[in-house]
Amino acid sequence: MSEAKHKFAFYLGCIAPNRYPGVESASIKAMKKLGVELVPLKGASCCPAPGAFGSIDLNVFYAMAARNLVLAEQMKMDIALVCNGCYKSIWEVNHKLKHNKDLRDGVNEVLKEIDMEYKGTINVYHTAELLYNDKFIGVEKVRSSVTNPLTGARIAVHYGCHLTKPHKDREFEDEVMLNTEHPSWMEELVAAIGATPVEYRNKMQCCGAGGGVRGYDIVHALDIANEKLINLKAVGVDALTDICPFCQLQFDRGQIEIKEKFGVSYDLPVLHFAELLGLAQGMSPQDLGLDLHGISCEPFLQKVL
Amino acid sequence: METKKEAKHEAPAKQEVKTQAPAAKDAAAPVKTGPSEKPRIGVFICHCGTNIAGSMDIEAVGEYSKTIPNVAYVDNYKYMCSMPGQAVINKAIKDNKLTGVVVAACSPRLHEPTFRTATKEGGLNPFRFEMANIREQNSWVHMHDQEGATDKAKDAIRIAVAKASLLQDLFPKAVPVEHAAMVVGAGVAGMQAALDLANAGIKTYLIESQPTIGGRMSQLDKTFPTLDCSQCILTPKMVDVGRAANIELMTYSEVDAVEGYIGNFDVTIRKKARGVLTPAEAEARGIVGGGCNGCGDCEPVCPVIKPNEFEVGMKPRRAIYISHPQVVPLIYTIDFDSCIKCGLCVTACGPEKKAVDLEAKDEFVKVKVGTAILATGYDMFPVEKKTEWGYKKFENVISSLEFERLICASGPTSGHLVRPSDGETPKRVAFVLCAGSRDNTGNGKPYCSRFCCMYSLKHAHQIYEKIPGVQAYLFYMDIRSFGKMYEEFYYRIQDEGAKFIRGRVANILEDPKTKNLHVHTDDTLLNRPVDMEVDLVVLAAAVQPKEDTNRTRKLFGVSCSMDGWLLEAHPKLNPCGTTTAGVFLAGVCQGPKDIPDTVASAEGAASAASIPIHKGEVELEPYFATCIEERCAGCGMCISLCPYSALALVEKEGRTVMEVTEAKCKGCGTCGGFCPGGAIWMNHFATPQIVAQIDAFLLGGEQ
Amino acid sequence: MVRSKGYPEALEKKLRDQRYFNEDTNPEFTKNVKGISRTIAHMCYQCGTCTGSCPSAPRSTYRIRKFMRRAVLGLENESLTDPDLWLCTTCYSCTDRCPRDIAPTDVIMAMRNLAFKRDIIPVNFLKTVQAIYSSGHGVPNNDVNRAARERIGLTRDPPTTHMYPEYIKGIQKILDHYKLKANADRIVKEREG
């Protein structure tokens, strides 16, 4: 697998590179092992955060997302990203601009000031999608790339919201990804890396961080995350995995805040699927920067390593 | 209303416009000639209240009409179709010795017959009438363009006058109507229609695709609001149908092909291979005293077990089966898709009855009927598509039809409502209304399914009746208790203790240990989100037309409306008819209905379907092709082109020429357009007439 | 109906006439909300599926269905001054399930945009604008992270505007086109001095 079959411009967002760099590193290495090359996207900015930014002025939101898209258009490469929030900004704006001339014209009027023009020539993918979709990688290839199966680990999945909702505004080649009520495709990937996927009550609920709520009313946001943590505790899991660094921040740092504000603790390790995949492919916890996590991953690592 | 004196005007002889000359060389030899004098056309413009007058300048149109060649008289009136309006035409024909009439008004689909009659009463042949549609195709779609609408109306009238100038006397052909009718579908609608037709003395073929008649009503336990036992009130009708001398019942059969037209439908019926002989069939094969008597000896020995569709899959049946004990006819059926032909049933049936025939094949039967009624009923919407409610994923989420079978004493649990997961009696039952109805997401039906509010109330009543201490919750957006005694029924059910929560169910989650359900919604009246834990959820799923209806309707030439149900001739004034003459609709296939409305529509359809039969003959519009024998070379190339096989070559006075069977001809124009010798004349749509219209449009008018 | 009763302030507030009157409706508001949200907000039939799906509803007075009602009735002031407007996490569950095919989440975003035009905006949003203006990132890099990045074999700064600050100018131009930074700075100053 020396020659990468697929190449993508790697859109990083903010939280992955600036708070959980292990996600960035693991993604690059794991995808490379699976035949996908993630190439740096020079000069990218915040996607911009759909909740925080879109709430203020949607015109700016479109323009900034379009700027990021144009950077990839200039590279003549499709974008791959690791964050649900970024997916909403980058994929959805790309989709909306492709199909709505009025939005496109509005955006290009602003981009003209910085000598850029959105043309609608590239596509956007979430790395989780690339892992699941047979056209790019597929569950079987993921399974064969595993050298350190996470046997015995009970891992629950937090799907997050913005990747798949609203399903009517999403277009996935794999129709199973359009199921927003009872999906199981991430559980398939968890099983592929040797772990035991665990279902829990109301698994599709939001983490509570989005829409600027984590900044506006942290206690309210944490209570939403706490509901999920209660449900997770009820079934007993070794780790929670996510495909969104913002959700990860909410559950990881959030547990510290929850202990502080609500007086309850779970000590539940929270890992992005890229980090889990990295572990399963033999990367070390050090390589993955797991020491940066708010909640220690030690108990989990004890089990799987 | 303008007086005739002002409107009367002699058409000027000259005019730059040459609307009259038919460009075609074959101007000669119309087959039926009328008086060959100069055309004198009367133009009558309708205001239709403000429907037309509101969008265009009627006066200007009238003034223009006076300038059209061949126009001898112009008038206008508020409602041409009214009695005084008709009188205007009548008088004008006589006073002005008109040779043709043009009415510029609504669509001919609506009033062509009315004005043809007026023309006839004025003394002209009714086919000397031409209609210009300046409403549906003009005023109604150009309401904001007065000038454009007026100009377009002028064009329309000019074109109509050009044709009217060339119209001929035509005489409709009366064809005899076969004294027989067909009803497709034997649910309560089909049965009622068939009984009415039979009682009116009309031989009726009642075709049912299932092995038994009865339809959906057989599957119900009780009916609202009377709480009658459904099968109890239906059985007498079923027995009547089975016994009626005038009803030829063909169960386990489907319509395979339909040819012909009103009064003379040739229908081919596929009698599906039942594998079991009726006494009559056995007799015909020489097995005296043989045939199936419904004894049921065959059933227990059959090794194949399948889900019983009648019980919505909740009870098993064998490959040889009857759906339930009250089937009509009481004849077993073999499901050859699952039968392994082991022959055990043959043995069990015995040498005297010899009713089983494992080698049976589908048979085709041709019958001739005068009229037909479609009563093909409905299916439940596959509500598992709405994944948020967990149907077919969570065991204790069931559909309303499954509830009916569970609560029914003759059902899979003898009428005990139990939870599928553990067989326990539920104490808290949630009824989810509008499950899949009133849904514009594209994954659901946009319409209201009409009877689910009422049967959900009924279901709530039934559990209060049977389960002491039970609590029913109805989650609704609206309670549509629209019919006679329905609101009173709603009152009663609320009084019996049912709790009504006004909120559409957002989603349902299952407790993996107890298999209880958590119903999430917003109590919009209390303004509080709700998490209601219940033991059983019943989804009042939407209804949709039966899948096979799409195939059947096409055979009869019936359209379906935007919502998928069969299209009636007019939603208000003709809900039982279709735009295909001689074909009628009864029951839910035209749109969701409760039982009273279904029976009423069946009676309406039967009444309408019996009229042509009792009249004995029906008039066909004389739009048929005719052969201009002097020109016909007898080449025969037109024969195979006719989609209705209406043409044939015959010998006439030593020559081979083509002849049209007028009753079969639909006037489609295929032959007329093709004939290389120009020897085919299409009545009422003849080439010179059409060309005159085209010329009038392109060459005439104000430049 | 009486709008002002001339009572002392406390009583005026307590006894104010809370009925809905015609003039409470501003049709322009409904139009603006529909324009910005690009959804058929006026078609809501108040079924409650949205609030039934909402994670914020059980733990606050936030009711998306009520905001939809306000959008339909054009109740501008109530909508924009209600602090619950900012409790939507944009999880899109309501939009995912709405049977009328409306996007209630987008209605909230539209209302937030309109509120901002009146300077109604929680300060955390403005802080995000300022961070993006100066660094290009809503959550910028820090030294602890830089060290960690280096340890795991990545560049200290990611190849974003952090590594290529020349791109920040372009971002600033976009934000300035809409006067976002100026407004954000102004409001922050007013609030925090």
Side-chain angles (χ1 to χ4, degrees):
Chain A
M1 271 179 276
S2 48
E3 188 56 53
K5 276 190 359 227
H6 303 279
K7 260 186 171 158
F8 293 91
F10 192 15
Y11 177 81
L12 294 169
C14 299
I15 300 189
N18 299 335
R19 295 286 179 275
Y20 293 100
V23 174
E24 179 182 337
S25 172
S27 296
I28 296 171
K29 291 194 182 135
M31 298 302 259
K32 185 154 191 187
K33 199 169 173 191
L34 292 162
V36 172
E37 191 182 333
L38 297 176
V39 173
L41 177 61
K42 220 172 98 172
S45 69
C46 181
C47 44
F53 223 86
S55 296
I56 305 178
D57 191 335
L58 283 164
N59 295 312
V60 188
F61 171 74
Y62 283 121
M64 288 206 47
R67 192 200 73 95
N68 284 318
L69 287 161
V70 173
L71 291 174
E73 284 183 2
Q74 288 170 346
M75 284 173 74
K76 293 198 176 28
M77 258 190 232
D78 286 344
I79 285 177
L81 43 80
V82 292
C83 169
N84 286 358
C86 299
Y87 190 80
K88 176 165 171 72
S89 302
I90 307 287
W91 184 91
E92 206 180 278
V93 170
N94 194 30
H95 184 78
K96 280 204 165 94
L97 290 179
K98 278 183 184 178
H99 293 96
N100 291 284
K101 186 168 187 299
D102 62 316
L103 285 175
R104 207 163 56 236
D105 289 343
V107 149
N108 279 329
E109 203 184 295
V110 182
L111 291 181
K112 209 163 47 185
E113 288 179 27
I114 53 175
D115 297 320
M116 281 178 136
E117 186 191 348
Y118 170 82
K119 296 203 173 106
T121 52
I122 58 131
N123 296 318
V124 178
Y125 300 91
H126 191 297
T127 46
E129 193 183 347
L130 297 175
L131 288 171
Y132 189 75
N133 191 327
D134 288 332
K135 199 168 110 180
F136 299 103
I137 299 170
V139 175
E140 283 318 305
K141 281 220 182 85
V142 171
R143 203 190 308 275
S144 344
S145 76
V146 169
T147 52
N148 289 32
L150 308 182
T151 320
R154 289 169 55 82
I155 301 184
V157 177
H158 169 77
Y159 280 82
C161 297
H162 291 124
L163 175 61
T164 53
K165 285 187 282 191
H167 70 272
K168 62 188 171 192
D169 288 341
R170 294 289 180 269
E171 290 173 3
F172 296 113
E173 281 186 41
D174 275 301
E175 274 191 22
V176 295
M177 287 183 64
L178 290 170
N179 184 342
T180 51
E181 302 288 347
H182 311 289
S184 57
W185 56 276
M186 274 303 298
E187 278 85 356
E188 283 182 59
L189 285 169
V190 167
I193 59 174
T196 307
V198 180
E199 299 278 344
Y200 59 101
R201 188 181 163 165
N202 212 357
K203 75 177 185 186
M204 296 310 289
Q205 186 180 279
C206 177
C207 70
V213 177
R214 191 179 147 81
Y216 170 67
D217 188 339
I218 180 84
V219 169
H220 179 99
L222 289 173
D223 189 49
I224 294 176
N226 193 39
E227 182 176 325
K228 294 203 77 169
L229 289 164
I230 292 172
N231 290 334
L232 285 161
K233 186 165 176 185
V235 294
V237 290
D238 299 312
L240 175 67
T241 186
D242 58 77
I243 46 175
C244 173
F246 200 22
C247 295
Q248 175 145 327
L249 185 79
Q250 173 76 341
F251 282 114
D252 183 42
R253 195 171 293 184
Q255 280 181 69
I256 300 175
E257 292 158 344
I258 283 173
K259 177 155 186 201
E260 193 188 316
K261 294 184 201 294
F262 302 163
V264 288
S265 58
Y266 301 91
D267 296 315
L268 177 65
V270 182
L271 294 101
H272 190 283
F273 189 75
E275 291 171 317
L276 285 182
L277 182 56
L279 280 175
Q281 287 183 347
M283 289 173 70
S284 72
Q286 287 72 35
D287 284 344
L288 294 167
L290 293 185
D291 50 303
L292 279 177
H293 281 220
I295 298 294
S296 168
C297 296
E298 262 324 293
F300 171 70
L301 293 169
Q302 298 275 347
K303 210 166 190 180
V304 300
L305 293 178
Chain B
M1 172 177 140
E2 290 161 66
T3 58
K4 284 188 294 293
K5 288 160 225 95
E6 300 163 312
K8 204 174 186 163
H9 182 88
E10 292 286 6
K14 34 66 193 176
Q15 216 66 28
E16 63 294 326
V17 158
K18 47 188 197 295
T19 55
Q20 205 175 329
K25 320 99 266 197
D26 51 346
V31 174
K32 295 189 174 56
T33 46
S36 51
E37 63 306 73
K38 188 172 180 321
R40 295 176 58 79
I41 309 299
V43 175
F44 303 87
I45 307 167
C46 186
H47 295 225
C48 195
T50 53
N51 261 317
I52 298 176
S55 307
M56 61 181 74
D57 183 348
I58 302 270
E59 202 184 308
V61 173
E63 284 306 307
Y64 171 74
S65 301
K66 294 177 192 170
T67 68
I68 301 174
N70 298 330
V71 169
Y73 179 79
V74 175
D75 202 350
N76 66 79
Y77 190 60
K78 246 191 164 54
Y79 300 102
M80 287 298 320
C81 55
S82 65
M83 293 294 285
Q86 306 277 288
V88 164
I89 299 177
N90 195 323
K91 192 159 194 311
I93 294 173
K94 294 176 176 138
D95 287 354
N96 298 278
K97 298 192 182 33
L98 299 180
T99 62
V101 169
V102 167
V103 171
C106 53
S107 163
R109 269 187 173 286
L110 198 49
H111 282 313
E112 188 171 58
T114 315
F115 293 121
R116 281 210 178 128
T117 309
T119 308
K120 186 163 150 194
E121 285 178 359
L124 290 178
N125 180 291
F127 291 90
R128 294 260 183 168
F129 164 75
E130 179 73 3
M131 201 147 173
N133 183 345
I134 60 170
R135 191 183 74 167
E136 280 85 337
Q137 294 184 348
N138 187 339
S139 151
W140 276 0
V141 293
H142 300 306
M143 281 197 236
H144 303 291
D145 181 4
Q146 273 260 346
E147 213 185 293
T150 307
D151 283 346
K152 189 169 167 178
K154 293 177 185 172
D155 287 345
I157 292 174
R158 183 175 74 252
I159 295 168
V161 168
K163 181 166 176 188
S165 304
L166 295 179
L167 288 174
Q168 302 159 326
D169 291 352
L170 292 175
F171 303 92
K173 189 180 177 64
V175 290
V177 173
E178 186 70 28
H179 200 85
M182 171 173 291
V183 177
V184 181
V188 65
M191 294 186 335
Q192 183 65 52
L195 284 169
D196 281 7
L197 287 167
N199 288 335
I202 298 170
K203 164 140 180 131
T204 307
Y205 297 95
L206 181 54
I207 319 293
E208 169 56 51
S209 64
Q210 301 278 34
T212 175
I213 61 177
R216 291 285 170 214
M217 215 178 140
S218 274
Q219 291 178 293
L220 307 180
D221 178 30
K222 297 204 166 149
T223 58
F224 57 78
T226 48
L227 299 173
D228 290 307
C229 152
S230 186
Q231 188 64 57
C232 305
I233 59 176
L234 190 65
T235 299
K237 281 205 204 282
M238 286 170 69
V239 168
D240 280 349
V241 165
R243 277 206 290 238
N246 267 338
I247 295 182
E248 185 167 326
L249 180 59
M250 295 168 146
T251 56
Y252 212 48
S253 303
E254 289 170 358
V255 175
D256 199 68
V258 177
E259 272 160 29
Y261 50 92
I262 178 181
N264 300 275
F265 288 112
D266 289 302
V267 184
T268 308
I269 297 157
R270 173 197 295 267
K271 294 179 73 166
K272 297 187 284 195
R274 198 168 200 136
V276 176
L277 302 172
T278 62
E281 287 167 346
E283 184 102 21
R285 291 193 189 189
I287 310 167
V288 181
C292 179
N293 64 359
C295 72
D297 286 349
C298 53
E299 195 160 8
V301 305
C302 175
V304 176
I305 296 184
K306 284 277 154 186
N308 185 345
E309 295 87 346
F310 182 82
E311 301 286 2
V312 202
M314 294 189 292
K315 205 171 174 178
R317 64 158 170 84
R318 308 296 171 119
I320 185 166
Y321 69 102
I322 49 172
S323 307
H324 61 90
Q326 286 84 34
V327 296
V328 171
L330 183 51
I331 307 286
Y332 273 69
T333 303
I334 296 180
D335 166 20
F336 279 111
D337 284 336
S338 54
C339 168
I340 57 172
K341 301 227 176 135
C342 64
L344 289 169
C345 53
V346 180
T347 318
C349 183
E352 273 148 35
K353 294 192 298 272
K354 276 196 169 171
V356 179
D357 175 9
L358 292 178
E359 301 312 312
K361 297 271 176 285
D362 290 357
E363 260 177 56
F364 292 90
V365 172
K366 273 194 154 78
V367 301
K368 203 180 178 82
V369 295
T371 53
I373 297 177
L374 300 183
T376 49
Y378 66 93
D379 274 340
M380 302 297 281
F381 170 74
V383 74
E384 62 271 19
K385 285 184 170 183
K386 303 294 291 183
T387 49
E388 56 259 54
W389 298 322
Y391 182 62
K392 290 205 168 150
K393 196 173 161 66
F394 303 143
E395 288 169 83
N396 293 328
V397 174
I398 63 175
S399 75
S400 49
L401 196 55
E402 287 167 334
F403 178 92
E404 286 281 349
R405 292 316 303 154
L406 288 173
I407 204 86
C408 184
S410 61
T413 57
S414 304
H416 295 109
L417 182 64
V418 296
R419 290 175 9 124
S421 67
D422 53 14
E424 294 293 317
T425 306
K427 287 296 207 221
R428 300 164 299 184
V429 181
F431 295 94
V432 177
L433 272 57
C434 296
S437 304
R438 304 177 65 184
D439 185 319
N440 286 66
T441 60
N443 183 23
K445 299 294 178 187
Y447 49 79
C448 163
S449 294
R450 197 169 166 109
F451 46 77
C452 350
C453 277
M454 288 310 297
Y455 72 54
S456 297
L457 291 174
K458 174 192 74 175
H459 288 171
H461 166 83
Q462 287 175 295
I463 67 174
Y464 278 107
E465 196 180 44
K466 293 197 165 178
I467 306 173
V470 77
Q471 180 62 257
Y473 299 97
L474 280 84
F475 294 90
Y476 71 99
M477 293 200 267
D478 297 284
I479 297 292
R480 296 184 164 175
S481 49
F482 56 91
K484 184 161 177 172
M485 298 306 288
Y486 286 10
E487 186 64 23
E488 294 88 331
F489 192 68
Y490 177 18
Y491 186 98
R492 172 183 177 171
I493 305 310
Q494 188 166 4
D495 199 24
E496 285 177 358
K499 293 278 172 278
F500 292 83
I501 297 174
R502 196 204 167 267
R504 181 178 175 278
V505 172
N507 70 324
I508 296 175
L509 293 179
E510 183 189 62
D511 181 327
K513 289 201 194 69
T514 60
K515 304 290 184 180
N516 289 353
L517 289 327
H518 286 261
V519 176
H520 297 129
T521 183
D522 179 19
D523 185 332
T524 61
L525 301 178
L526 193 56
N527 196 26
R528 278 171 71 175
V530 164
D531 177 348
M532 179 81 71
E533 186 176 356
V534 297
D535 309 314
L536 182 72
V537 170
V538 182
L539 299 176
V543 292
Q544 61 185 33
K546 258 196 147 60
E547 208 181 317
D548 198 51
T549 300
N550 210 29
R551 180 194 68 87
T552 312
R553 69 162 182 90
K554 286 180 189 171
L555 297 176
F556 283 95
V558 174
S559 313
C560 63
S561 35
M562 217 166 74
D563 57 13
W565 301 100
L566 298 184
L567 184 63
E568 62 283 303
H570 190 279
K572 294 278 198 195
L573 299 179
N574 199 348
C576 299
T578 64
T579 49
T580 304
V583 180
F584 304 89
L585 303 175
V588 176
C589 66
Q590 180 260 350
K593 300 183 184 54
D594 52 4
I595 293 168
D597 286 348
T598 297
V599 172
S601 90
E603 304 217 85
S607 166
S610 69
I611 293 173
I613 294 175
H614 281 136
K615 270 178 87 172
E617 65 172 25
V618 89
E619 270 189 1
L620 299 181
E621 285 177 316
Y623 299 153
F624 20 85
T626 44
C627 176
I628 306 171
E629 287 173 7
E630 307 87 79
R631 294 212 186 150
C632 177
C635 71
M637 290 202 278
C638 57
I639 311 293
S640 51
L641 288 178
C642 177
Y644 305 99
S645 314
L647 311 180
L649 284 178
V650 296
E651 289 292 320
K652 274 193 188 171
E653 292 154 15
R655 291 179 67 227
T656 308
V657 291
M658 182 274 278
E659 188 178 72
V660 180
T661 305
E662 287 168 351
K664 282 188 173 182
C665 171
K666 292 216 194 270
C668 69
T670 305
C671 59
F674 165 78
C675 176
I680 300 182
W681 181 267
M682 302 303 303
N683 277 347
H684 208 65
F685 294 97
T687 305
Q689 293 164 354
I690 306 287
V691 171
Q693 287 182 297
I694 297 172
D695 282 351
F697 175 57
L698 293 175
L699 304 173
E702 298 161 334
Q703 304 301 333
Chain C
M1 62 97 195
V2 180
R3 279 352 265 256
S4 169
K5 304 186 188 183
Y7 295 168
E9 196 186 322
L11 285 177
E12 185 82 33
K13 191 167 183 258
K14 173 179 155 72
L15 300 172
R16 75 193 182 287
D17 192 332
Q18 298 183 49
R19 283 178 291 195
Y20 166 81
F21 293 98
N22 304 44
E23 45 274 19
D24 294 334
T25 289
N26 178 2
E28 276 306 299
F29 179 63
T30 306
K31 218 168 107 193
N32 288 338
V33 166
K34 283 175 61 187
I36 299 174
S37 64
R38 302 170 80 93
T39 188
I40 45 172
H42 65 291
M43 291 308 293
C44 172
Y45 57 10
Q46 295 286 297
C47 68
T49 301
C50 48
T51 294
S53 308
C54 179
S56 284
R59 42 189 52 89
S60 69
T61 50
Y62 171 64
R63 299 286 178 270
I64 173 64
R65 182 181 54 84
K66 194 149 118 177
F67 277 93
M68 291 306 295
R69 190 72 187 142
R70 287 169 173 163
V72 169
L73 290 179
L75 299 176
E76 182 167 14
N77 268 333
E78 264 184 58
S79 306
L80 304 187
T81 58
D82 188 342
D84 286 345
L85 179 61
W86 308 95
L87 286 178
C88 169
T89 67
T90 69
C91 77
Y92 277 94
S93 297
C94 53
T95 304
D96 200 43
R97 295 186 184 140
C98 173
R100 276 260 161 121
D101 221 30
I102 307 171
T105 319
D106 290 345
V107 168
I108 292 290
M109 298 304 268
M111 288 184 178
R112 288 180 179 182
N113 275 214
L114 290 168
F116 176 64
K117 289 198 174 47
R118 287 193 189 183
D119 287 357
I120 300 174
I121 182 97
V123 76
N124 59 300
F125 291 90
L126 303 172
K127 296 283 168 76
T128 308
V129 172
Q130 290 174 328
I132 291 179
Y133 195 85
S134 56
S135 71
H137 281 278
V139 179
N141 208 351
N142 60 41
D143 286 332
V144 170
N145 195 63
R146 285 191 181 90
R149 285 183 66 91
E150 197 169 24
R151 265 203 318 276
I152 66 176
L154 294 169
T155 53
R156 281 176 67 83
D157 274 314
T160 61
T161 48
H162 277 324
M163 203 192 280
Y164 301 101
E166 60 268 30
Y167 283 86
I168 297 181
K169 244 194 299 284
I171 290 160
Q172 291 177 341
K173 270 217 169 127
I174 295 177
L175 290 175
D176 285 336
H177 179 100
Y178 292 102
K179 302 197 176 40
L180 210 55
K181 175 71 162 47
N183 280 324
D185 284 346
R186 173 179 57 80
I187 300 171
V188 169
K189 189 145 180 270
E190 281 167 21
R191 304 252 183 100
E192 298 184 348

